[in-house]
Amino acid sequence: MPTAGGPAFDTLRATEIGAVHVLDSLLDPQRLNRLDMQHVYDPAVPSPAQVLARLIAHADAAAATGAVGRRIATTIALDMAKTVREKGLARSIGLQLNGKLQAWSKALSNSRGSDELADWRRGLGALLSDQAALTVALSDRTLLPAVPPGMPIG
């Protein structure tokens, strides 16, 4: 990766790319639509809302661990916001997930404190609650890298 001092491995960027690999599969609209149907027949299968709640809890926990955790949590938040806007996602699921994101945004925005974590939480909360700013952020291809599928096995 180009830097002022020459090429260097950016471990924080690698963290984001790794998170995108997992999130793009987990939050695929078709997968979430199937999860919703499967949850109706088998309550042991998590609903899309439960998946999002678990991701939000993971993001909150990861963010508290430091810079790498905040990168992962930011990637989770942006990928969830992108998923809510995907055309292939059932409208009812999208509305439910958007409600979860907005509740998380409100909780983040109400964070107290003056440390890095509190500042990050308020900043992410502000971004998630500002639809125009979120649209701009999601259109920036450097924030959520497009990761092509791997080579087929076999």
Side-chain angles (χ1 to χ4, degrees), residues 29-151:
Q30 291 178 3
R31 180 180 300 254
L32 293 174
N33 292 341
R34 283 192 311 272
L35 264 180
D36 195 42
M37 290 185 292
Q38 292 169 345
H39 180 73
V40 168
Y41 296 106
D42 183 0
V45 174
S47 70
Q50 289 170 322
V51 169
L52 211 68
R54 289 178 187 176
L55 279 172
I56 289 169
H58 178 74
D60 283 336
T65 66
V68 171
R70 286 191 296 276
R71 287 280 186 111
I72 292 169
T74 301
T75 303
I76 289 171
L78 291 174
D79 217 315
M80 289 189 309
K82 179 185 81 168
T83 299
V84 166
R85 296 171 175 217
E86 300 254 354
K87 289 183 176 40
L89 186 65
R91 177 71 68 202
S92 60
I93 297 170
L95 291 171
Q96 188 178 35
L97 299 184
N98 191 53
K100 284 240 178 264
L101 271 177
Q102 292 310 309
W104 187 34
S105 168
K106 189 173 186 176
L108 290 167
S109 296
N110 291 331
S111 294
R112 304 240 183 266
S114 59
D115 62 350
E116 290 177 355
L117 178 61
D119 290 342
W120 170 85
R121 289 175 60 83
R122 286 188 296 273
L124 182 60
L127 176 62
L128 291 175
S129 64
D130 182 341
Q131 293 302 306
L134 189 55
T135 297
V136 170
L138 292 175
S139 68
D140 182 352
R141 297 289 177 209
T142 62
L143 289 181
L144 277 178
V147 180
M151 194 166 169

